[in-house]
Amino acid sequence: MRISVLGVGAIGTVLATCFAQSADHEVHLHVRGERGARLMLEGLRLSGVQTADVPANRFLFSCNELEMDDHLTHGSDIVILTCKAHAVVDLLATAERFRKPDGLVMALCNGMGHHETLARAFGPPHVLAATTTHGAFSQADGSVMWAGEGQFNLGASPLGPEHHRVLPFLALLEEVGLSPVWCDDAAAMVWAKVLLNLAINPIAALAGLQNGELLQPDRLASCMMVYREVAMLAALERISIPDEAVFEQQLRQVLLATAENTCSMLQDIKAGRVTEIESLNQAVVDLAEHHGLAVPVNQILATLIRACHP
Ligand code: PAF
């Protein structure tokens, strides 16, 4: 099997170094910029949950800024987008170029709507929904810290790939320690993860707080206000999400487990990067508008976050 990983940031590095352990498979990395050039020369380094120092020659590389080798064209059985939410659309043509005609594609990115975007581009039978609770961050020396062991959740829509096509990939994820979990309800799986980002990221980012500091009662109450609006939207969309008490419990657990973390949206703002707000709270606002539902808390969070970045 050949697996393509498009975007080798923190989560992309965790996946790539894990896949590289399995000698039976080719691992192709699509990189860009200065960091990408360094990875092509020096390989990938991972510490934390697993430690690995994988030389560059273990991988097949392509680079956004260079012409692509023809031998990579339509050669990948699995294509995984591990990029920022706003880069998914830009990478569709690249993913199509690498994917075998019957290859599977998935996006392991924060936010809503990626599964639908991929299904429109490649056709539902070739697309999986994916989320992860593995936690990782890039370090100053270019290596990646796999800080929290989680799961790699996969699911398909009713028109999605037949399960037998996914089995070899599930077996690989298991073999290399990425803890796959198959979810029958793909939409519920994606919303369960997105709910946490909707409730945590903009509030932590605007307040400039580490995740654990949101456990203070007034701040937690603000996170739950976001949840309540999204719960009304989920009901209109007929998507099953955790009820309020269960969600509050999950939220507390994530905030505790990631207490020292600066959430990705605050990291983006501090670094002057575009945030993922359009695929998070702004996506809630847009979807709510179709139903004539007012979601003022999400709307004001989206507006204020946009005011913080270019
Ligand atoms: O986006 C993030 O930072 C993470 O998904 C989460 C769960 C909020 C932890 O920081």
Side-chain angles (χ1 to χ4, degrees), residues 110 193 197 200-201 211 254 258 261 263-264:
N110 279 342
K193 170 67 171 55
N197 293 118
I200 296 172
N201 294 26
N211 291 353
V254 171
T258 61
N261 285 15
C263 78
S264 53

